[in-house]
Amino acid sequence: MPHDFSRNHFELFGLPPRFGLDAAALEHAYRGMQAEVHPDRYAHAGEAEKRLSMQWATRVNEAYQTLRRPFERARYLLELQGIHAMDPNNTAMPPDFLMQQMEWREALEEARSGRDLGALQRLEQSLRAVAQALQTELEGLLDERHDYAQAAEVLRKYRFMEKLLAEIDAAYEDIE
Amino acid sequence: MALLQIAEPGMSTAPHEHRLAVGIDLGTTNSLVATVRNGIAVVLNDDHGRALLPSVVRYHADGATSVGYEAQARQGDDPHNTVVSAKRFMGRGLKDIADAATMPYRFVDAPGMVQLKTAAGVKSPVEVSAEILKVLKARAEAALGGELMGAVITVPAYFDDAQRQATKDAARLAGLNVLRLLNEPTAAAIAYGLDNGAEGIYAVYDLGGGTFDISILRLTRGVFEVLATNGDSALGGDDFDRRIYCWVLEQAGLKVIDDHDKALLLAKAREAKEMLTEHPEVKVTAVLSTGEFIDLDLTEAQFNAMTASLVNKTLVPTRRALRDAGLEPADVKGVVMVGGSTRVPRIQAAVGEFFGQTPLTNLDPDRVVALGAAIQANVLAGNRQEDDWLLLDVVPLSLGLETMGGLVEKIIPRNATIPTARAQEFTTFKDGQTAMAVHVVQGERELVADCRSLARFELRGIPPMVAGAARIRVTFQVDADGLLSVSARELSTGVEAHIEVKPSYGLTDDEVARMLRDSYDHAREDMSARQLAELKVDGQRLVEATEIALAENGAELLDAEEREEIENLIAALKKALEGDVPQAIKRATEALNKGTVEFAARRMDLSVKKALTGHKIEELDV
């Protein structure tokens, strides 16, 4: 194994392990790193370097994709704390949140079957606002209060929101 | 007085000399080869000054082949043995070819990939493509005056793994060292972006003879980043020809026609389509083998009506690619048109309407892909040291595994930046189960039956345990060519069963070896001589790469003993290269490869550190 594979994703890019991440700095670091390790730099090199370059570029892509997405970034931060937020045993959800979910789903179904683009857009807007609020909450819990148990619960809520938003995307496709 | 140095024939001299590398656009209808000369990308012409090589191969009864214009001219009177659009069959089974019935070929339904019966025997599309590549290789070597160090071969972005693997095999069969398989729209973006200093979001709309690609890229200084790609690997200019062809049959009241007339009318249909890009109305005339005379008028309006559904078919993937990139048509700063079929005025108009802007057509849509490939080949060969750019491409279709009930578990999602790897753990279904069938598929659908099957293999030697106790980790790795390799291992007991499989489309290594032998038999070339030459090129390349690496970092990364060890291995390989014993060269090459693993790792670590410190210094500057 290469020597430096043990660094975590944040260390790899020289960034502080925080949920509130400077997206521009991440991108800059990612590109700088790929510029050094990408297989295109080693197309004329020997076998050993080609293989290592592919492993490193794969590793750098994985790290970037993880840190770039808020959900994956939060999950990864919790994992660094030894908490597996998406473990199938961690499924408890507050009943009021689940009720709210059901209402949103009904609204989505209605908009889809009625091919009501306006209703779909209104629903999307309010869901995005909720998702944004959850992100802000996550940032406080992870970066300021270090309340990881609570952060895990908020993250599970956030996951629900992402799934709903993906279904809205699919509904747009259906309506079109 | 200094003595003049004279290099040994065939031996490379200075480590930084210009290496001969080309870009090849292996198209459905036409193919091209280009290179970078004196810093400028140029397409290489044939002896008659023609840039395009029609992707047509004719097999003669004596085993000889003709390729290009010569073959194309005989298409009408020798339709069975004259293969056009072989790219449509790459990595495809007979059932994948929707319009096989309208083609004049005698297909043989081999497992995995269809084959064609010709006067010179049964040929795989891989062999047909290799014939085209051989001609382009010879053209390039004649023009550049030496053996090629390597080639970048372009493929449609939407090509799946089987189609990519088939393309790479064709290159191997043609004796080309593949530096990279490069997606066609990405190649076009390189040529366009570098020429125009483009920045921002660009769409590349690439409608070739038999394939359609749409790629959404973000261009920033020095980085070409593909955000999403989509397409249809069975939609292209050929389909427009076929619409005209069917119209001709209908208008002339023709029911049954022979293969000769089929080929003739398809050629006439194509001519009519090309004429219509310049004229509002054209005549379609032909004399059939029955003596019947065809004389029809075709207007642009009629043509547009009969092909409207094809044009719309390209907008569906276009919409999906934008959605995957999280963008709207208005976010796109420019639309680059690629492929001869984009000359059709109705297509330009439809794309213009969709994006709300006039598409960019200032680069020759036939050449831009080859030029971009040549520019990238020049970089990959190591001819440029500074101001390089970075290319970040993606995998076009999700990759997954079959799970219980014929469902697909996606492992790598579409549009993941390559190279990429993902692992997923599975468990056993029955008590005492000692083997597991792994079925690798590619596609977006949920059912295995609706996706493309890439490979099947079995992981054996799982220790017997109760159902659900074994832990089997399956790892997918997609390399920078977009090619997948899969490995599986059992983790729970420490017993390791490990298998590595390259997905294939039914061509075994034996078959590839057979094709290689066949092609050498015909060329009256000695296979062992060829093998020796290839080993020597590989060995020479490794010597060169290692010497450069030593010169760059040897002093800081190796102690005297380590350095001496590598130098001894280099010397041993050089000595072997002077002789003609294949085994000795192979052994010495392997020894040097092995002996430099640690050095390579240290060099890579150094590069990573460099990237980190570079980043921090820039931060401090702000």
Side-chain angles (χ1 to χ4, degrees), chain B residues 197-218:
Chain B
E199 299 250 321
I201 305 288
Y202 281 78
V204 181
Y205 180 101
D206 181 356
L207 188 61
T211 57
F212 171 66
D213 282 333
I214 178 81
S215 285
I216 312 295
L217 290 103
R218 185 167 53 175

Side-chain angles (χ1 to χ4, degrees), chain A residues 3 12-14 28 31 36 38-44 47 49 52-54 56-58 61 173 176, chain B residues 180 220 225 323 376 380 389 391 417 419 421 477 479 593 598 600-601 603-605 607 610 612 615 618:
Chain A
H3 306 161
L12 183 68
F13 291 128
H28 184 81
R31 290 174 171 200
E36 292 295 333
H38 196 277
D40 284 355
R41 296 280 184 267
Y42 295 86
H44 59 285
E47 286 309 312
E49 288 194 1
L52 277 169
S53 147
M54 185 178 75
W56 266 106
T58 297
N61 275 334
E173 218 159 312
E176 278 167 17
Chain B
R180 186 73 73 236
T220 35
E225 183 183 9
R323 200 193 313 278
Q376 187 66 4
L380 297 185
W389 52 88
L391 199 74
T417 306
Q477 169 84 57
D479 67 14
N593 261 327
E598 174 64 24
R603 263 166 60 84
M604 200 62 71
D605 286 350
S607 292
K610 208 167 99 191
L612 266 175
H615 167 59
E618 278 172 49

Side-chain angles (χ1 to χ4, degrees), chain B residues 472-492:
Chain B
I472 294 124
R473 175 178 288 164
V474 180
T475 306
F476 279 40
Q477 169 84 57
V478 179
D479 67 14
D481 290 324
L483 289 171
L484 172 71
S485 57
V486 180
S487 59
R489 64 164 75 172
E490 204 285 316
L491 305 167
S492 65

Side-chain angles (χ1 to χ4, degrees), chain B residues 419-499:
Chain B
T420 185
R422 285 289 163 85
Q424 180 94 18
E425 283 183 21
F426 294 88
T427 189
T428 44
F429 167 64
K430 278 192 292 193
D431 287 345
Q433 187 176 339
T434 56
M436 197 173 86
V438 178
H439 183 199
V440 184
V441 298
Q442 186 162 30
E444 305 312 315
R445 307 282 293 276
E446 280 170 25
L447 292 178
V448 167
D450 298 327
C451 289
R452 174 154 302 274
S453 168
L454 291 180
R456 288 172 190 275
F457 66 93
E458 278 189 1
L459 177 68
R460 298 192 165 277
I462 301 171
M465 283 178 268
V466 292
R471 283 169 57 218
I472 294 124
R473 175 178 288 164
V474 180
T475 306
F476 279 40
Q477 169 84 57
V478 179
D479 67 14
D481 290 324
L483 289 171
L484 172 71
S485 57
V486 180
S487 59
R489 64 164 75 172
E490 204 285 316
L491 305 167
S492 65
T493 52
V495 176
E496 229 176 70
H498 191 100
I499 187 166

Side-chain angles (χ1 to χ4, degrees), chain B residues 130-199:
Chain B
E131 293 298 332
I132 298 163
L133 290 172
K134 276 184 210 165
V135 171
L136 294 174
K137 177 176 185 260
R139 181 191 290 187
E141 288 181 339
L144 303 176
E147 235 185 282
L148 297 182
M149 180 262 181
V152 167
I153 318 267
T154 61
V155 289
Y158 214 55
F159 254 19
D160 67 25
D161 194 79
Q163 293 168 303
R164 283 169 198 269
Q165 192 67 55
T167 306
K168 204 168 181 183
D169 283 348
R172 193 170 123 206
L173 206 52
L176 285 165
N177 172 40
V178 180
L179 291 166
R180 186 73 73 236
L181 294 179
L182 179 62
N183 290 327
E184 286 160 11
T186 311
I190 292 174
Y192 180 86
L194 293 176
D195 255 23
N196 296 271
E199 299 250 321

